[in-house]
Amino acid sequence: MTTPAASPQPHSLEMQSEIVTSPWKDAWRSFTKNKVAIVGLCIVIFFILMAIFAPWLMPYDYNKTSLTERLQAPSSQHWLGTDDFGRDILSRIIYGARISLWVGFICVSGSIVVGCTLGVLAGYYGKWVDIIISRLFDILLAFPSILLAIAIVAILGPDLTNALIAIAVINVPNFGRLIRSKVLSVKEEEYITSAKSIGMSDARILFRHILPNSMTPVIVQGTLAVATAIIEVAALSFLGLGAQSPDVDWGKMLADSKQYLVQAPWTMIFPGLAIMLTVLGFNLMGDGLRDALDPNMKN
């Protein structure tokens, strides 16, 4: 009588339960371990949710005036006080988050699209294409950013849309030069050489292989750039070149209240705190993303 053949030994439990991780999962795990970055993420989420649900969170109409309640100090009725027209400051800060965040995200998105397109072309094709695009970046970077933004808005006219265009333009060279340097190294990789050898088109190589592998520093820079864009838009609005009545953003609130700094300091303190906290949140989150996505920052 023959004995049955022994069944093959199963793999160990550790091998069966082995989890295949991806760079993005590793980055997220590293990001969540950074407590400071999580604080920044929570601040950003708080202001984003505040902007989304602004109509339901505002205790009053943000443009409702009441001269009998002008320049009232913070109280149980108006938690953050009122401005010189009796408008509730808390309601205006909540609604102003919509414009400030929206402008910040749109500016950076436009800068990324234009800057990355030009940077990829300059890095991939080189020669005269690189020379022309790089000199364009150098010209834009030769001007102080806020002065260039003021000049653009002065030409186009004081308006929130024109301020958005100006902020997007001054940030284009930052993203363009960043991704150009990344493309210069990525295009020398063996898989790019292989793709060229089998006759793959330049467009397919650029958008299927080079661009996705060059976006890590852009993501980090984009997060930090949103904070910068919010400050720049607030600065333009403070100078009267951004949001115009009846629109409201935090920079315009500061401009409208500057003459009441001594008489009613809360009219400037609370919009200033909103700008500071939002910028702080994006900066903390951006630093955390840099630490998580940059291999050189890992132990």
Side-chain angles (χ1 to χ4, degrees):
M1 187 171 78
T2 61
T3 58
S7 59
Q9 293 293 327
H11 293 290
S12 65
L13 181 61
E14 292 79 9
M15 295 181 63
Q16 289 180 352
S17 60
E18 183 180 1
I19 300 176
V20 178
T21 60
S22 68
W24 292 108
K25 289 182 179 179
D26 293 338
W28 173 249
R29 189 177 298 111
S30 176
F31 180 83
T32 55
K33 291 179 181 178
N34 189 332
K35 303 304 180 184
V36 175
I38 293 299
V39 171
L41 177 63
C42 291
I43 294 174
V44 171
I45 292 175
F46 170 78
F47 279 100
I48 290 176
L49 292 177
M50 186 173 74
I52 293 174
F53 296 105
W56 297 276
L57 294 176
M58 291 187 302
Y60 302 94
D61 183 348
Y62 73 96
N63 261 337
K64 181 182 178 181
T65 61
S66 176
L67 296 182
T68 59
E69 298 180 340
R70 65 188 303 268
L71 299 178
Q72 287 191 357
S75 63
S76 58
Q77 185 178 4
H78 298 284
W79 289 3
L80 302 184
T82 61
D83 63 7
D84 56 318
F85 285 100
R87 297 171 295 194
D88 183 67
I89 292 177
L90 176 59
S91 299
R92 291 174 67 78
I93 287 177
I94 292 174
Y95 189 83
R98 282 191 156 188
I99 293 180
S100 297
L101 291 177
W102 175 77
V103 169
F105 283 121
I106 294 298
C107 288
V108 173
S109 298
S111 299
I112 289 176
V113 171
V114 177
C116 287
T117 300
L118 294 175
V120 166
L121 294 175
Y124 183 75
Y125 289 106
K127 298 180 181 179
W128 63 270
V129 177
D130 187 18
I131 293 174
I132 293 176
I133 295 176
S134 295
R135 295 298 77 77
L136 175 62
F137 291 161
D138 292 339
I139 292 173
L140 292 176
L141 290 172
F143 297 92
S145 58
I146 191 64
L147 292 182
L148 180 59
I150 291 173
I152 294 174
V153 176
I155 294 172
L156 299 178
D159 180 69
L160 186 61
T161 301
N162 295 335
L164 185 152
I165 294 172
I167 301 301
V169 168
I170 65 177
N171 283 291
V172 164
N174 297 326
F175 291 101
R177 297 183 70 176
L178 183 66
I179 200 166
R180 172 187 172 275
S181 63
K182 187 68 176 177
V183 170
L184 289 174
S185 61
V186 171
K187 75 174 185 178
E188 302 299 331
E189 298 289 340
E190 292 183 359
Y191 64 91
I192 300 298
T193 304
S194 301
K196 291 179 179 178
S197 65
I198 62 175
M200 188 176 293
S201 65
D202 288 345
R204 188 177 180 87
I205 292 174
L206 286 173
F207 294 103
R208 287 290 300 274
H209 298 291
I210 291 182
L211 190 58
N213 289 292
S214 304
M215 290 300 294
T216 298
V218 174
I219 294 173
V220 177
Q221 180 63 27
T223 305
L224 298 172
V226 172
T228 304
I230 291 174
I231 294 177
E232 290 168 341
V233 170
L236 290 177
S237 295
F238 184 82
L239 297 173
L241 300 175
Q244 305 294 316
S245 297
D247 292 331
V248 57
D249 76 344
W250 297 331
K252 189 173 188 306
M253 291 180 66
L254 290 175
D256 294 341
S257 304
K258 62 180 181 293
Q259 58 184 318
Y260 303 105
L261 177 60
V262 176
Q263 180 183 359
W266 56 86
T267 59
M268 291 195 72
I269 289 175
F270 293 117
L273 283 175
I275 296 173
M276 184 199 73
L277 288 175
T278 306
V279 171
L280 176 65
F282 277 105
N283 284 335
L284 294 178
M285 188 174 70
D287 289 341
L289 286 174
R290 181 198 59 200
D291 295 343
L293 295 174
D294 188 353
N296 297 323
M297 302 296 297
K298 301 181 190 252
N299 294 326

